mmCIF file of all heavy atoms in Angstrom:
data_model
loop_
_atom_site.group_PDB
_atom_site.id
_atom_site.type_symbol
_atom_site.label_atom_id
_atom_site.label_comp_id
_atom_site.label_asym_id
_atom_site.label_seq_id
_atom_site.Cartn_x
_atom_site.Cartn_y
_atom_site.Cartn_z
ATOM 1 N N ASP A 246 10.418 -2.621 4.715
ATOM 2 C CA ASP A 246 9.293 -1.698 4.573
ATOM 3 C C ASP A 246 9.290 -0.849 3.271
ATOM 4 O O ASP A 246 8.387 -0.803 2.551
ATOM 5 C CB ASP A 246 9.171 -0.804 5.759
ATOM 6 C CG ASP A 246 9.206 -1.609 7.088
ATOM 7 O OD1 ASP A 246 8.942 -2.824 7.032
ATOM 8 O OD2 ASP A 246 9.570 -1.055 8.171
ATOM 9 N N ARG A 315 22.508 11.235 15.361
ATOM 10 C CA ARG A 315 21.162 10.875 14.741
ATOM 11 C C ARG A 315 20.608 12.117 14.102
ATOM 12 O O ARG A 315 20.037 12.070 13.078
ATOM 13 C CB ARG A 315 20.308 10.439 15.873
ATOM 14 C CG ARG A 315 20.487 8.973 16.250
ATOM 15 C CD ARG A 315 19.707 8.636 17.510
ATOM 16 N NE ARG A 315 19.826 7.194 17.778
ATOM 17 C CZ ARG A 315 19.181 6.252 17.239
ATOM 18 N NH1 ARG A 315 18.170 6.448 16.489
ATOM 19 N NH2 ARG A 315 19.461 5.009 17.603
ATOM 20 N N ILE A 362 13.798 7.811 24.620
ATOM 21 C CA ILE A 362 15.135 7.104 24.884
ATOM 22 C C ILE A 362 16.073 7.524 23.784
ATOM 23 O O ILE A 362 17.207 7.769 24.024
ATOM 24 C CB ILE A 362 14.922 5.579 24.860
ATOM 25 C CG1 ILE A 362 13.598 5.133 25.682
ATOM 26 C CG2 ILE A 362 16.145 4.807 25.254
ATOM 27 C CD1 ILE A 362 13.847 5.084 27.204
ATOM 28 N N LYS A 363 15.621 7.437 22.514
ATOM 29 C CA LYS A 363 16.454 7.807 21.384
ATOM 30 C C LYS A 363 15.564 8.502 20.374
ATOM 31 O O LYS A 363 14.391 8.152 20.185
ATOM 32 C CB LYS A 363 16.989 6.533 20.706
ATOM 33 C CG LYS A 363 17.879 5.684 21.542
ATOM 34 C CD LYS A 363 18.186 4.360 20.778
ATOM 35 C CE LYS A 363 18.956 3.516 21.701
ATOM 36 N NZ LYS A 363 19.315 2.238 21.149
ATOM 37 N N SER A 364 16.170 9.361 19.620
ATOM 38 C CA SER A 364 15.361 10.067 18.556
ATOM 39 C C SER A 364 15.530 9.146 17.346
ATOM 40 O O SER A 364 16.639 9.060 16.760
ATOM 41 C CB SER A 364 15.669 11.496 18.274
ATOM 42 O OG SER A 364 17.032 11.732 18.438
ATOM 43 N N HIS A 365 14.433 8.511 16.868
ATOM 44 C CA HIS A 365 14.552 7.614 15.762
ATOM 45 C C HIS A 365 14.498 8.452 14.503
ATOM 46 O O HIS A 365 13.636 9.332 14.274
ATOM 47 C CB HIS A 365 13.469 6.604 15.805
ATOM 48 C CG HIS A 365 13.779 5.454 16.674
ATOM 49 N ND1 HIS A 365 13.277 4.258 16.654
ATOM 50 C CD2 HIS A 365 14.693 5.421 17.746
ATOM 51 C CE1 HIS A 365 13.751 3.458 17.520
ATOM 52 N NE2 HIS A 365 14.637 4.129 18.241
ATOM 53 N N HIS A 366 15.349 8.113 13.589
ATOM 54 C CA HIS A 366 15.475 8.820 12.338
ATOM 55 C C HIS A 366 14.306 8.362 11.395
ATOM 56 O O HIS A 366 14.218 7.235 11.058
ATOM 57 C CB HIS A 366 16.831 8.476 11.736
ATOM 58 C CG HIS A 366 16.959 8.756 10.312
ATOM 59 N ND1 HIS A 366 17.730 7.982 9.528
ATOM 60 C CD2 HIS A 366 16.295 9.519 9.422
ATOM 61 C CE1 HIS A 366 17.645 8.364 8.255
ATOM 62 N NE2 HIS A 366 16.776 9.235 8.131
ATOM 63 N N ASN A 367 13.445 9.289 10.999
ATOM 64 C CA ASN A 367 12.634 8.912 9.937
ATOM 65 C C ASN A 367 12.440 10.209 9.140
ATOM 66 O O ASN A 367 12.995 11.242 9.370
ATOM 67 C CB ASN A 367 11.272 8.400 10.413
ATOM 68 C CG ASN A 367 10.535 9.431 11.372
ATOM 69 O OD1 ASN A 367 10.612 10.633 11.159
ATOM 70 N ND2 ASN A 367 9.998 8.892 12.418
ATOM 71 N N LYS A 388 5.048 -5.797 11.282
ATOM 72 C CA LYS A 388 6.215 -6.209 10.455
ATOM 73 C C LYS A 388 6.147 -7.524 9.818
ATOM 74 O O LYS A 388 6.497 -7.658 8.671
ATOM 75 C CB LYS A 388 7.508 -6.232 11.476
ATOM 76 C CG LYS A 388 8.762 -6.229 10.754
ATOM 77 C CD LYS A 388 9.248 -4.953 10.376
ATOM 78 C CE LYS A 388 10.623 -4.851 9.798
ATOM 79 N NZ LYS A 388 11.062 -3.493 9.495
ATOM 80 N N HIS A 408 16.637 -8.746 8.370
ATOM 81 C CA HIS A 408 16.542 -8.166 9.750
ATOM 82 C C HIS A 408 16.298 -6.587 9.627
ATOM 83 O O HIS A 408 16.823 -5.982 8.742
ATOM 84 C CB HIS A 408 17.813 -8.398 10.561
ATOM 85 C CG HIS A 408 18.097 -9.801 10.883
ATOM 86 N ND1 HIS A 408 19.158 -10.306 11.485
ATOM 87 C CD2 HIS A 408 17.258 -10.911 10.763
ATOM 88 C CE1 HIS A 408 19.209 -11.581 11.689
ATOM 89 N NE2 HIS A 408 17.947 -11.967 11.265
ATOM 90 N N PRO A 409 15.706 -6.049 10.707
ATOM 91 C CA PRO A 409 15.614 -4.583 10.716
ATOM 92 C C PRO A 409 16.981 -3.890 10.698
ATOM 93 O O PRO A 409 17.895 -4.474 11.257
ATOM 94 C CB PRO A 409 14.922 -4.282 12.012
ATOM 95 C CG PRO A 409 14.364 -5.498 12.475
ATOM 96 C CD PRO A 409 15.145 -6.650 11.903
ATOM 97 N N PHE A 410 17.093 -2.699 10.075
ATOM 98 C CA PHE A 410 18.321 -1.980 9.980
ATOM 99 C C PHE A 410 18.044 -0.529 10.303
ATOM 100 O O PHE A 410 17.049 -0.027 9.684
ATOM 101 C CB PHE A 410 18.913 -2.080 8.631
ATOM 102 C CG PHE A 410 20.351 -1.535 8.545
ATOM 103 C CD1 PHE A 410 21.408 -2.129 9.113
ATOM 104 C CD2 PHE A 410 20.581 -0.381 7.853
ATOM 105 C CE1 PHE A 410 22.708 -1.623 9.054
ATOM 106 C CE2 PHE A 410 21.806 0.191 7.724
ATOM 107 C CZ PHE A 410 22.822 -0.443 8.327
ATOM 108 N N PRO A 411 18.681 0.073 11.232
ATOM 109 C CA PRO A 411 18.255 1.438 11.641
ATOM 110 C C PRO A 411 18.576 2.540 10.569
ATOM 111 O O PRO A 411 19.616 2.419 9.852
ATOM 112 C CB PRO A 411 19.032 1.722 12.927
ATOM 113 C CG PRO A 411 20.254 0.868 12.802
ATOM 114 C CD PRO A 411 19.826 -0.367 11.919
ATOM 115 N N GLY A 412 17.789 3.534 10.494
ATOM 116 C CA GLY A 412 18.057 4.621 9.602
ATOM 117 C C GLY A 412 19.404 5.182 9.610
ATOM 118 O O GLY A 412 20.082 5.344 8.550
ATOM 119 N N PRO A 413 19.937 5.506 10.793
ATOM 120 C CA PRO A 413 21.294 6.033 10.859
ATOM 121 C C PRO A 413 22.448 5.040 10.538
ATOM 122 O O PRO A 413 23.634 5.332 10.510
ATOM 123 C CB PRO A 413 21.475 6.480 12.348
ATOM 124 C CG PRO A 413 20.091 6.486 12.885
ATOM 125 C CD PRO A 413 19.368 5.451 12.085
ATOM 126 N N GLY A 414 22.017 3.764 10.310
ATOM 127 C CA GLY A 414 22.969 2.806 9.809
ATOM 128 C C GLY A 414 24.178 2.450 10.717
ATOM 129 O O GLY A 414 23.971 2.501 11.966
ATOM 130 N N ILE A 417 25.441 4.364 14.293
ATOM 131 C CA ILE A 417 25.123 4.050 15.626
ATOM 132 C C ILE A 417 25.663 2.708 16.037
ATOM 133 O O ILE A 417 25.323 2.222 17.221
ATOM 134 C CB ILE A 417 23.680 4.189 15.940
ATOM 135 C CG1 ILE A 417 22.771 3.344 15.019
ATOM 136 C CG2 ILE A 417 23.206 5.661 15.801
ATOM 137 C CD1 ILE A 417 21.236 3.348 15.399
ATOM 138 N N ARG A 418 26.442 2.069 15.137
ATOM 139 C CA ARG A 418 27.083 0.783 15.540
ATOM 140 C C ARG A 418 28.524 0.918 15.660
ATOM 141 O O ARG A 418 29.299 0.056 15.840
ATOM 142 C CB ARG A 418 26.676 -0.297 14.558
ATOM 143 C CG ARG A 418 25.189 -0.572 14.640
ATOM 144 C CD ARG A 418 24.816 -1.619 13.680
ATOM 145 N NE ARG A 418 23.328 -1.913 13.798
ATOM 146 C CZ ARG A 418 22.641 -2.646 12.966
ATOM 147 N NH1 ARG A 418 23.237 -3.239 11.999
ATOM 148 N NH2 ARG A 418 21.341 -2.819 13.195
ATOM 149 N N TRP A 452 15.955 -12.348 15.398
ATOM 150 C CA TRP A 452 15.057 -11.121 15.010
ATOM 151 C C TRP A 452 15.991 -10.027 14.379
ATOM 152 O O TRP A 452 15.676 -9.355 13.429
ATOM 153 C CB TRP A 452 14.371 -10.576 16.243
ATOM 154 C CG TRP A 452 13.234 -9.743 15.921
ATOM 155 C CD1 TRP A 452 11.982 -10.182 15.540
ATOM 156 C CD2 TRP A 452 13.168 -8.301 15.853
ATOM 157 N NE1 TRP A 452 11.197 -9.154 15.320
ATOM 158 C CE2 TRP A 452 11.852 -8.007 15.459
ATOM 159 C CE3 TRP A 452 14.092 -7.274 16.181
ATOM 160 C CZ2 TRP A 452 11.410 -6.632 15.422
ATOM 161 C CZ3 TRP A 452 13.665 -5.990 16.057
ATOM 162 C CH2 TRP A 452 12.283 -5.616 15.714
ATOM 163 N N GLN A 453 17.182 -9.854 14.967
ATOM 164 C CA GLN A 453 18.092 -8.822 14.526
ATOM 165 C C GLN A 453 19.549 -9.227 14.986
ATOM 166 O O GLN A 453 19.736 -9.632 16.112
ATOM 167 C CB GLN A 453 17.786 -7.539 15.102
ATOM 168 C CG GLN A 453 18.465 -6.309 14.467
ATOM 169 C CD GLN A 453 17.904 -4.974 14.731
ATOM 170 O OE1 GLN A 453 16.939 -4.893 15.654
ATOM 171 N NE2 GLN A 453 18.391 -3.897 14.239
ATOM 172 N N TYR A 455 23.839 -8.116 14.291
ATOM 173 C CA TYR A 455 24.805 -7.211 13.647
ATOM 174 C C TYR A 455 26.160 -7.230 14.453
ATOM 175 O O TYR A 455 26.236 -7.821 15.462
ATOM 176 C CB TYR A 455 24.273 -5.778 13.608
ATOM 177 C CG TYR A 455 24.090 -5.118 14.987
ATOM 178 C CD1 TYR A 455 25.124 -4.493 15.637
ATOM 179 C CD2 TYR A 455 22.874 -5.079 15.615
ATOM 180 C CE1 TYR A 455 25.011 -3.855 16.890
ATOM 181 C CE2 TYR A 455 22.634 -4.434 16.868
ATOM 182 C CZ TYR A 455 23.654 -3.804 17.525
ATOM 183 O OH TYR A 455 23.546 -3.297 18.679
ATOM 184 N N ARG A 480 26.082 -8.717 18.242
ATOM 185 C CA ARG A 480 24.747 -8.685 18.950
ATOM 186 C C ARG A 480 23.839 -9.496 18.128
ATOM 187 O O ARG A 480 23.768 -9.418 16.895
ATOM 188 C CB ARG A 480 24.359 -7.292 19.117
ATOM 189 C CG ARG A 480 23.067 -7.003 19.840
ATOM 190 C CD ARG A 480 23.245 -6.063 21.028
ATOM 191 N NE ARG A 480 22.135 -5.642 21.746
ATOM 192 C CZ ARG A 480 21.505 -6.256 22.868
ATOM 193 N NH1 ARG A 480 22.073 -7.381 23.200
ATOM 194 N NH2 ARG A 480 20.604 -5.696 23.484
ATOM 195 N N ILE A 482 19.636 -10.878 18.702
ATOM 196 C CA ILE A 482 18.601 -10.832 19.664
ATOM 197 C C ILE A 482 17.341 -11.520 19.155
ATOM 198 O O ILE A 482 17.159 -11.604 17.901
ATOM 199 C CB ILE A 482 18.174 -9.433 20.185
ATOM 200 C CG1 ILE A 482 17.903 -8.482 19.081
ATOM 201 C CG2 ILE A 482 19.333 -8.843 21.092
ATOM 202 C CD1 ILE A 482 16.526 -8.187 18.862
ATOM 203 N N ASP A 486 8.753 -7.609 18.650
ATOM 204 C CA ASP A 486 8.421 -6.316 18.114
ATOM 205 C C ASP A 486 9.472 -5.231 18.298
ATOM 206 O O ASP A 486 9.330 -4.137 18.058
ATOM 207 C CB ASP A 486 7.135 -5.813 18.685
ATOM 208 C CG ASP A 486 7.187 -5.803 20.207
ATOM 209 O OD1 ASP A 486 8.261 -6.050 20.774
ATOM 210 O OD2 ASP A 486 6.151 -5.579 20.812
ATOM 211 N N GLY A 487 10.607 -5.649 18.784
ATOM 212 C CA GLY A 487 11.746 -4.754 18.992
ATOM 213 C C GLY A 487 11.582 -3.931 20.357
ATOM 214 O O GLY A 487 12.549 -3.172 20.805
ATOM 215 N N MET A 488 10.464 -4.030 20.980
ATOM 216 C CA MET A 488 10.247 -3.256 22.267
ATOM 217 C C MET A 488 10.985 -3.924 23.469
ATOM 218 O O MET A 488 11.530 -3.269 24.250
ATOM 219 C CB MET A 488 8.772 -3.177 22.582
ATOM 220 C CG MET A 488 7.897 -2.561 21.563
ATOM 221 S SD MET A 488 8.059 -0.765 21.480
ATOM 222 C CE MET A 488 7.183 -0.351 23.039
ATOM 223 N N THR A 489 10.918 -5.181 23.481
ATOM 224 C CA THR A 489 11.777 -5.941 24.418
ATOM 225 C C THR A 489 12.552 -6.973 23.658
ATOM 226 O O THR A 489 12.164 -7.369 22.543
ATOM 227 C CB THR A 489 10.894 -6.662 25.497
ATOM 228 O OG1 THR A 489 10.010 -7.640 24.657
ATOM 229 C CG2 THR A 489 9.973 -5.740 26.179
ATOM 230 N N ALA A 490 13.627 -7.436 24.205
ATOM 231 C CA ALA A 490 14.450 -8.415 23.462
ATOM 232 C C ALA A 490 15.298 -9.319 24.448
ATOM 233 O O ALA A 490 15.639 -8.815 25.539
ATOM 234 C CB ALA A 490 15.378 -7.707 22.528
ATOM 235 N N LYS A 524 16.949 -6.417 26.445
ATOM 236 C CA LYS A 524 16.248 -5.131 26.417
ATOM 237 C C LYS A 524 14.988 -5.275 27.218
ATOM 238 O O LYS A 524 14.126 -6.010 26.726
ATOM 239 C CB LYS A 524 16.057 -4.669 25.021
ATOM 240 C CG LYS A 524 15.232 -3.324 25.004
ATOM 241 C CD LYS A 524 14.933 -2.901 23.574
ATOM 242 C CE LYS A 524 14.150 -1.625 23.592
ATOM 243 N NZ LYS A 524 13.754 -1.085 22.257
ATOM 244 N N SER A 527 19.204 -2.875 28.519
ATOM 245 C CA SER A 527 19.930 -2.184 27.434
ATOM 246 C C SER A 527 19.022 -2.051 26.252
ATOM 247 O O SER A 527 17.809 -2.459 26.279
ATOM 248 C CB SER A 527 21.263 -2.934 27.076
ATOM 249 O OG SER A 527 20.900 -3.935 26.250
ATOM 250 N N THR A 528 19.404 -1.297 25.159
ATOM 251 C CA THR A 528 18.622 -1.336 24.017
ATOM 252 C C THR A 528 19.176 -2.152 22.917
ATOM 253 O O THR A 528 20.262 -2.775 23.217
ATOM 254 C CB THR A 528 18.523 0.229 23.490
ATOM 255 O OG1 THR A 528 19.825 0.688 23.305
ATOM 256 C CG2 THR A 528 17.801 1.134 24.462
ATOM 257 N N ILE A 529 18.495 -2.373 21.772
ATOM 258 C CA ILE A 529 18.988 -3.218 20.763
ATOM 259 C C ILE A 529 20.308 -2.665 20.130
ATOM 260 O O ILE A 529 21.370 -3.303 20.068
ATOM 261 C CB ILE A 529 17.918 -3.552 19.804
ATOM 262 C CG1 ILE A 529 16.785 -4.299 20.413
ATOM 263 C CG2 ILE A 529 18.480 -4.318 18.647
ATOM 264 C CD1 ILE A 529 15.581 -4.580 19.592
ATOM 265 N N GLU A 530 20.136 -1.380 19.730
ATOM 266 C CA GLU A 530 21.330 -0.731 19.207
ATOM 267 C C GLU A 530 22.270 -0.264 20.294
ATOM 268 O O GLU A 530 21.808 -0.052 21.448
ATOM 269 C CB GLU A 530 20.944 0.435 18.277
ATOM 270 C CG GLU A 530 19.982 0.031 17.053
ATOM 271 C CD GLU A 530 20.695 -0.750 16.059
ATOM 272 O OE1 GLU A 530 21.953 -0.776 16.046
ATOM 273 O OE2 GLU A 530 20.014 -1.358 15.278
ATOM 274 N N LEU A 531 23.505 0.041 19.950
ATOM 275 C CA LEU A 531 24.425 0.519 20.975
ATOM 276 C C LEU A 531 24.239 2.001 21.264
ATOM 277 O O LEU A 531 24.639 2.552 22.386
ATOM 278 C CB LEU A 531 25.867 0.348 20.531
ATOM 279 C CG LEU A 531 26.317 -1.119 20.429
ATOM 280 C CD1 LEU A 531 27.872 -1.258 20.285
ATOM 281 C CD2 LEU A 531 25.855 -2.030 21.591
ATOM 282 N N GLU A 532 23.733 2.799 20.327
ATOM 283 C CA GLU A 532 23.580 4.259 20.582
ATOM 284 C C GLU A 532 22.185 4.702 20.233
ATOM 285 O O GLU A 532 21.536 4.093 19.400
ATOM 286 C CB GLU A 532 24.610 4.977 19.667
ATOM 287 C CG GLU A 532 26.014 4.740 20.012
ATOM 288 C CD GLU A 532 26.974 5.688 19.379
ATOM 289 O OE1 GLU A 532 26.675 6.244 18.316
ATOM 290 O OE2 GLU A 532 28.041 6.045 20.000
HETATM 291 P P1 XMP B 16 16.540 0.229 20.186
HETATM 292 O O1 XMP B 16 18.005 0.426 20.022
HETATM 293 O O2 XMP B 16 15.776 1.484 20.445
HETATM 294 O O3 XMP B 16 16.025 -0.320 18.776
HETATM 295 O O4 XMP B 16 16.283 -0.803 21.182
HETATM 296 C C1 XMP B 16 14.735 -0.840 18.529
HETATM 297 C C2 XMP B 16 14.615 -1.102 17.109
HETATM 298 O O5 XMP B 16 14.654 0.056 16.390
HETATM 299 C C3 XMP B 16 15.706 0.151 15.427
HETATM 300 N N1 XMP B 16 16.154 1.521 15.394
HETATM 301 C C4 XMP B 16 15.907 2.355 14.511
HETATM 302 N N2 XMP B 16 15.291 2.278 13.288
HETATM 303 N N3 XMP B 16 15.758 4.515 12.796
HETATM 304 C C5 XMP B 16 15.133 3.322 12.501
HETATM 305 O O6 XMP B 16 14.584 3.293 11.398
HETATM 306 C C6 XMP B 16 16.506 4.705 13.944
HETATM 307 O O7 XMP B 16 16.910 5.731 14.202
HETATM 308 C C7 XMP B 16 16.593 3.599 14.815
HETATM 309 N N4 XMP B 16 17.166 3.404 15.994
HETATM 310 C C8 XMP B 16 16.947 2.026 16.365
HETATM 311 C C9 XMP B 16 16.641 -0.817 16.035
HETATM 312 O O8 XMP B 16 17.557 -1.383 14.945
HETATM 313 C C10 XMP B 16 15.726 -1.956 16.557
HETATM 314 O O9 XMP B 16 15.286 -2.756 15.519
#
Side-chain angles (χ1 to χ4, degrees):
D246 308 339
R315 284 171 177 273
I362 315 281
K363 297 174 186 181
S364 33
H365 278 204
H366 157 214
N367 57 39
K388 189 90 177 183
H408 291 172
F410 186 75
I417 56 171
R418 295 178 179 174
W452 200 79
Q453 190 168 5
Y455 64 84
R480 184 122 169 93
I482 53 107
D486 52 10
M488 302 285 285
T489 59
K524 173 184 178 178
S527 80
T528 53
I529 296 176
E530 300 293 342
L531 295 192
E532 295 195 329

